[in-house]
Amino acid sequence: MAEKQQTLKESIEFNGVGLHTGKPVKMVIKPAPANHWFKFKRIDLEGNPIICADVDYVYSTKRGTSLKQNGAEVHTTEHVLAALYGMSVDNALIEVDGPEIPILDGSAQLFVDAIRKAGLEEQDAVREYFELSENLKYENEEKQAEILAVPDDEYRVTVMVDYNSPLLGTQHAMMYNIREFEEQIAGCRTFVFLRELMQLVSAGLIKGGDVNNAIVMIDTDLTKEEKEKLASTFNKPVSMLKEVGIGILNNIDLRFENEPARHKLLDIIGDLALMGKHIKAHILAARPGHLSNCEFAKVLKQQVKKQRTRPPQYDLTKEPLYNINDVEDILPHRYPFLLVDKIIELQKDDYVVGMKNVTRNEEFFNGHFPGEPIMPGVMIIEAMAQTGGFLVLAHVDDPTQYATYFMKIDNVRFKHKVIPGDTILLKLELLSPIRRGLAHMKGTAYVGDKIAAEGELLAQIAKKQ
């Protein structure tokens, strides 16, 4: 059974400050229509520009992931995106009245709690997963970061961090599936080493920093001057720091022994959400950061395009679901207009794959470019429609008593000619659930490793007279 897309049942609101700007910000996450994914809306700017949560719009990964589009920016997006993705939301509009997402407690927990309270609403569209078909490797030698993705039936993430620090050392974290996110990952807070913190303060950043929204790790002794500067930054009395040595600032208790590694895992989920789909793969990351995460999201997005153009892989010698005799029992068409030889695979609420052997004996070759026989594009579309008929008729008890009829075709493209001797693989995918006898499908015709044609078809099912 295909999973459906989900959005929020109602809007949720947050008020806080930006980690780096220190400015107050109000954020409202609203329900969004199917196939919308995640988008930010700067309601404080003229025209309320939209910024898509898309890795193509990442312009900075310094201490967070920042996006820029339509003349607008939004910073530190990773925690709210991780919360939405981790809670299996597909579509949301995130309105903000400033350039930065509120940092809150430095984790995704408060976002997750609000999403859980608001509840989710199923939508009339099938969730499309990116299912990895081969291993993908990424390496950034300068950052000593490595990421490997391998095929898996779940979204699984394994992280190793190593900061060469006597305090943190080497840590590992693992999420076996996305359903663990809420309990095991969402509450893990961002962390920073004191040496990095002092650099950020000097650069005029973390103006919204506070001991309550980050774990500050001290792996070197503090001088008196450093204590005073740090206390001033956090607007706390110096007495708070008088006993501080190597350890965690303000003696904050960790929520997990490996909370820093788990937060890195949280960041990966938020950053990889920018590739635009839910993922089924095992991601293994060593020393990851926002830069490597976003660069790997680009690798994944490119792989989506690559896999989309690949033909389905099937053993054509295997017994089909429907042979030519079965096809004739179900479809009303006959030679020369029966354009499906067999049905190879059928998932009732998702897709169907059929096959057509193209021979020189086809009637249309006698008049269509007879000196250089080419299958007419309209016949390829007709073959798609007949294949899609099996997907539609799978929803009735006795398909022999029903027929499907074309209502509309859209966005048709012909990319590769089909000639005698070719075998066409025809894949029809439901773009939305069948309602009132109407089926909206995406059709793709493959010849070898090339797409011959593609388009969207709308068909109606009706009982035979």
Side-chain angles (χ1 to χ4, degrees):
M1 190 74 168
E3 292 182 58
K4 302 296 176 59
Q5 294 181 25
Q6 299 183 114
T7 190
L8 300 171
K9 283 186 177 179
E10 57 186 35
S11 298
I12 49 180
E13 182 178 319
F14 303 90
N15 291 278
V17 297
L19 175 61
H20 295 298
T21 62
K23 295 180 179 179
V25 60
K26 176 181 176 181
M27 180 178 76
V28 180
I29 307 178
K30 295 184 174 182
N35 302 311
H36 178 278
W37 199 239
F38 310 132
K39 296 179 182 179
F40 297 91
K41 185 176 183 180
R42 285 289 302 274
I43 61 173
D44 59 315
L45 299 179
E46 184 178 354
N48 299 154
I50 297 290
I51 308 165
C52 295
D54 187 315
V55 69
D56 291 343
Y57 300 115
V58 172
Y59 83 97
S60 175
T61 54
K62 293 181 179 178
R63 305 307 306 183
T65 300
S66 300
L67 307 172
K68 180 190 292 185
Q69 186 185 12
N70 297 319
E73 302 174 6
V74 61
H75 307 280
T76 54
T77 60
E78 58 274 8
H79 297 171
V80 68
L81 291 178
L84 290 165
Y85 189 106
M87 295 298 286
S88 294
V89 178
D90 296 89
N91 306 294
L93 179 64
I94 307 161
E95 293 186 350
V96 288
D97 65 358
E100 195 171 8
I101 301 301
I103 189 62
L104 302 182
D105 74 341
S107 77
Q109 189 64 59
L110 297 178
F111 298 133
V112 163
D113 292 344
I115 293 169
R116 173 64 63 196
K117 184 177 180 180
L120 301 180
E121 184 175 88
E122 190 175 275
Q123 297 177 284
D124 285 342
V126 175
R127 173 180 293 167
E128 184 179 350
Y129 280 95
F130 166 60
E131 299 187 46
L132 193 63
S133 60
E134 60 187 84
N135 292 354
L136 292 177
K137 184 179 180 180
Y138 163 88
E139 187 173 357
N140 185 318
E141 292 185 7
E142 181 182 351
K143 300 290 185 180
Q144 295 185 312
E146 296 178 78
I147 304 179
L148 174 68
V150 300
D152 202 293
D153 293 333
E154 297 275 3
Y155 187 20
R156 187 168 297 181
V157 184
T158 301
V159 173
M160 184 277 286
V161 294
D162 181 7
Y163 291 93
N164 193 28
S165 164
L167 178 61
L168 183 57
T170 300
Q171 288 191 355
H172 295 81
M174 182 161 186
M175 181 186 74
Y176 288 91
N177 56 65
I178 197 65
R179 296 177 296 281
E180 293 186 350
F181 178 83
E182 182 176 3
E183 297 294 332
Q184 300 296 320
I185 305 299
C188 297
R189 296 157 293 180
T190 192
F191 66 98
V192 62
F193 287 100
L194 178 64
R195 58 180 181 270
E196 297 175 312
L197 183 65
M198 302 310 290
Q199 293 172 359
L200 292 170
V201 170
S202 299
L205 298 174
I206 64 163
K207 295 176 181 177
D210 187 275
V211 292
N212 296 317
N213 59 30
I215 301 168
V216 180
M217 297 193 163
I218 305 172
D219 56 359
T220 56
D221 290 323
L222 287 172
T223 66
K224 179 181 177 182
E225 290 74 17
E226 286 174 330
K227 290 180 181 181
E228 290 175 350
K229 189 172 185 179
L230 193 59
S232 175
T233 298
F234 286 125
N235 196 26
K236 301 290 183 183
V238 177
S239 59
M240 178 194 77
L241 302 171
K242 65 181 180 180
E243 299 299 331
V244 169
I246 293 177
I248 298 175
L249 181 65
N250 208 29
N251 294 319
I252 291 175
D253 291 329
L254 294 180
R255 293 171 179 171
F256 297 91
E257 184 178 353
N258 62 342
E259 186 170 352
R262 292 187 188 221
H263 184 81
K264 284 295 184 181
L265 197 157
L266 185 156
D267 282 344
I268 287 175
I269 293 170
D271 288 335
L272 294 191
L274 296 171
M275 60 87 65
K277 290 183 183 298
H278 288 279
I279 299 169
K280 286 187 178 180
H282 187 177
I283 309 297
L284 301 100
R287 295 169 291 277
H290 293 299
L291 174 63
S292 58
N293 295 344
C294 291
E295 288 185 345
F296 192 66
K298 291 181 180 179
V299 172
L300 293 178
K301 187 174 179 180
Q302 191 62 36
Q303 185 70 8
V304 170
K305 296 178 182 178
K306 181 180 176 182
Q307 290 186 188
R308 186 180 292 141
T309 60
R310 287 179 179 171
Q313 302 297 310
Y314 297 104
D315 180 0
L316 300 183
T317 65
K318 188 179 178 180
E319 187 71 20
L321 289 178
Y322 299 96
N323 60 32
I324 186 61
N325 296 320
D326 302 322
V327 169
E328 288 189 340
D329 287 340
I330 294 174
L331 295 183
H333 309 79
R334 292 296 181 267
Y335 177 84
F337 283 101
L338 180 59
L339 300 173
V340 181
D341 292 327
K342 58 185 176 182
I343 298 297
I344 299 171
E345 186 169 343
L346 174 63
Q347 295 290 334
K348 178 180 175 182
D349 293 308
D350 196 358
Y351 67 92
V352 62
V353 178
M355 193 191 80
K356 162 68 178 170
N357 291 308
V358 182
T359 74
R360 184 62 179 84
N361 297 325
E362 310 282 356
E363 292 285 351
F364 44 74
F365 285 134
N366 294 326
H368 195 257
F369 294 90
E372 184 189 1
I374 299 173
M375 185 174 181
V378 292
M379 303 304 285
I380 300 174
I381 299 300
E382 174 64 24
M384 285 185 191
Q386 291 181 20
T387 302
F390 282 84
L391 187 55
V392 179
L393 292 170
H395 291 78
V396 297
D397 293 333
D398 185 359
T400 63
Q401 299 302 309
Y402 291 82
T404 55
Y405 301 98
F406 256 143
M407 295 190 71
K408 185 171 68 170
I409 56 175
D410 281 322
N411 302 319
V412 174
R413 293 178 177 86
F414 300 101
K415 299 186 174 183
H416 184 73
K417 64 183 181 181
V418 179
I419 62 176
D422 283 342
T423 295
I424 310 178
L425 278 178
L426 303 144
K427 185 171 185 179
L428 278 294
E429 304 166 87
L430 279 176
L431 293 176
S432 59
I434 295 176
R435 293 285 187 270
R436 298 184 299 278
L438 297 177
H440 188 200
M441 300 173 285
K442 166 70 182 296
T444 310
Y446 302 91
V447 173
D449 61 353
K450 295 182 173 63
I451 293 179
E454 60 184 0
E456 295 179 20
L457 290 72
L458 183 67
Q460 182 177 39
I461 186 171
K463 197 161 188 178
K464 295 178 181 177
Q465 299 297 322

